[in-house]
Amino acid sequence: MTLVDTAETGQGRRDIGSGTRRGRVRRAIRAASRPGPWKRGPVLATLALLLGLFMLLHAQIPNRIGNLGSLVETFLPWFGLFIPVLLAGALLRRSASAMAALLLPVMVWLNLFGGLLGERSHPGGYLTVACHNVGAGNPDPARTARDLAAFGADVLALVELTPQARGTYEKELAKAYPYHTVKSTVGLWSKLPLSDTKPVDIEMDAGPLADTIAADVKMTYDRALRTTVATGRGPLAVYVAHLGSVRVNPRAGFSTDQRDRGARALGRAVAAERNERVVLLGDLNGSMDDRVFAGITSRLRSAQDAAGDGFGFSWPARFPLVRIDHILIRGVEPKSSWVLPATGSDHLPVAAAIRWSSRLP
């Protein structure tokens, strides 16, 4: 090797060493300038806090614009799905602040719905009640009736009965249920005697001309009834109701006027009920988290919330997202509550086993 080659090799080594040192310096500068774990992910942390506050303060969301508050409360459990999404983002960003902020929505969601995740059902029960929106468009009402009869509930409420299908249900259920009553599009089938049956005005018709309609005419399309079931342990007041439908559209938002009138009227009827033991069965077209049902939930409690496993979503039948079919009680204790298999309807049937409360005579 010549002197020139040796000089060039030495120079190259110095250049490489110098470049390595400069690279290390640059990496050190970048590492020092990077935000620490508590400074990373400020957007994620903010979103987590907003989600927690959103669920915590859901009752403060106003209904003045498109009934937004009721819409949020109807699907409130599903907002918990944002928690794992934000958690994944926090882990990717290695953001300690976002992880800490996520504690708020986690605690709020668990406080609201954590109780629904545990085992609450128990064997037994004196009486089994069931409710099903059989669907006006049900392609096979006879099969639906046979499926419901095979389940064997002592008391069975059906709503959304059409004039065309009513006879089919009466025929198919006659053997299992010797007693039944139908008012408008709602009915109750029972293995025990019924008495004192009457329609309940849930104000399906409103407006300037509503007061001019005769009561007997109005009751023909009010979708609620009240009857007394004679049990071996005393009378049980049973209400069956199908509140007005709700709609979601871009212009009107969450349209609930008819349902809300019905909910308030039904709440007043239950408040005036003298029998201490009451069961309300029906499609109420809303979740019990919805503020409009305060007049009902202040007097009755959900069998599913007290003795069911999980959320008990009942609609739509193919992919249930919300529980709008309810069994609500007073003066009796639920032992278990569950959702039955699908029929030809777009709703799932719901059922509960109840016993007499020891707190009443």
Side-chain angles (χ1 to χ4, degrees):
M1 180 180 292
T2 64
L3 184 61
V4 174
D5 291 337
T6 302
E8 288 178 351
T9 300
Q11 180 64 39
R13 289 174 178 170
R14 287 193 294 274
D15 290 343
I16 292 173
S18 176
T20 301
R21 285 194 295 274
R22 286 197 297 270
R24 289 174 180 171
V25 171
R26 284 196 294 269
R27 285 195 295 272
I29 293 173
R30 283 198 298 268
S33 62
R34 260 194 232 114
W38 288 100
K39 294 183 178 180
R40 295 179 198 143
V43 174
L44 289 170
T46 301
L47 290 175
L49 291 174
L50 289 176
L51 176 61
L53 291 172
F54 184 79
M55 292 190 292
L56 179 65
L57 303 175
H58 65 88
Q60 308 306 316
I61 300 173
N63 256 347
R64 291 188 297 273
I65 302 175
N67 290 306
L68 180 61
S70 286
L71 179 60
V72 167
E73 288 166 337
T74 298
F75 297 98
L76 192 58
W78 291 99
F79 284 92
L81 291 179
F82 289 108
I83 294 174
V85 174
L86 291 172
L87 176 60
L91 291 173
L92 287 173
R93 294 281 292 128
R94 298 180 182 179
S95 170
S97 59
M99 294 287 288
L102 274 169
L103 290 175
L104 177 62
V106 168
M107 295 304 295
V108 172
W109 193 92
L110 288 175
N111 180 63
L112 291 171
F113 305 111
L116 298 177
L117 303 179
E119 177 70 28
R120 303 187 308 282
S121 63
H122 299 88
Y126 170 65
L127 201 71
T128 301
V129 297
C131 172
H132 190 27
N133 180 326
V134 293
N138 192 323
D140 194 350
R143 180 178 177 181
T144 295
R146 290 193 295 269
D147 289 344
L148 293 171
F151 168 64
D154 299 295
V155 175
L156 172 65
L158 302 183
V159 307
E160 208 165 288
L161 294 166
T162 63
Q164 298 79 10
R166 173 177 170 174
T168 300
Y169 287 106
E170 290 176 328
K171 176 183 176 182
E172 297 292 338
L173 294 172
K175 184 176 180 180
Y177 297 97
Y179 308 97
H180 86 281
T181 183
V182 176
K183 298 292 183 184
S184 184
T185 60
V186 302
L188 189 74
W189 276 256
S190 175
K191 295 180 179 180
L192 302 168
L194 304 176
S195 62
D196 302 324
T197 302
K198 61 182 180 181
V200 177
D201 184 2
I202 55 171
E203 301 182 6
M204 293 296 294
D205 199 348
L209 299 179
D211 293 337
T212 66
I213 301 174
D216 57 339
V217 175
K218 185 183 294 187
M219 289 299 182
T220 61
Y221 52 84
D222 254 330
R223 307 184 307 193
L225 66 83
R226 184 263 184 215
T227 191
T228 300
V229 177
T231 78
R233 302 189 182 185
L236 176 70
V238 177
Y239 287 77
V240 182
H242 183 197
L243 298 186
S245 299
V246 300
R247 297 286 184 269
V248 180
N249 61 70
R251 291 187 177 182
F254 193 44
S255 178
T256 64
D257 290 349
Q258 193 177 64
R259 184 208 65 179
D260 293 353
R261 284 198 312 271
R264 289 188 288 267
L266 191 57
R268 290 191 295 270
V270 170
E273 175 59 52
R274 295 185 177 183
N275 194 327
E276 291 294 333
R277 297 182 176 94
V278 180
V279 173
L280 168 59
L281 307 163
D283 172 6
L284 304 186
N285 270 308
S287 159
M288 288 300 101
D289 294 312
D290 191 328
R291 67 195 68 181
V292 75
F293 295 108
I296 296 175
T297 55
S298 63
R299 297 176 176 89
L300 304 175
R301 60 176 177 151
S302 166
Q304 178 67 25
D305 288 352
D309 296 331
F311 291 93
F313 295 146
S314 64
W315 181 89
R318 294 194 177 193
F319 189 82
L321 294 171
V322 64
R323 185 179 180 91
I324 62 176
D325 302 277
H326 298 280
I327 299 174
L328 304 170
I329 59 172
R330 182 181 79 195
V332 294
E333 296 179 359
K335 296 295 289 183
S336 55
S337 179
W338 64 100
V339 177
L340 295 171
T343 68
S345 172
D346 58 339
H347 292 243
L348 296 175
V350 297
I354 62 174
R355 71 175 184 181
W356 262 218
S357 173
S358 59
R359 290 172 292 183
L360 292 176

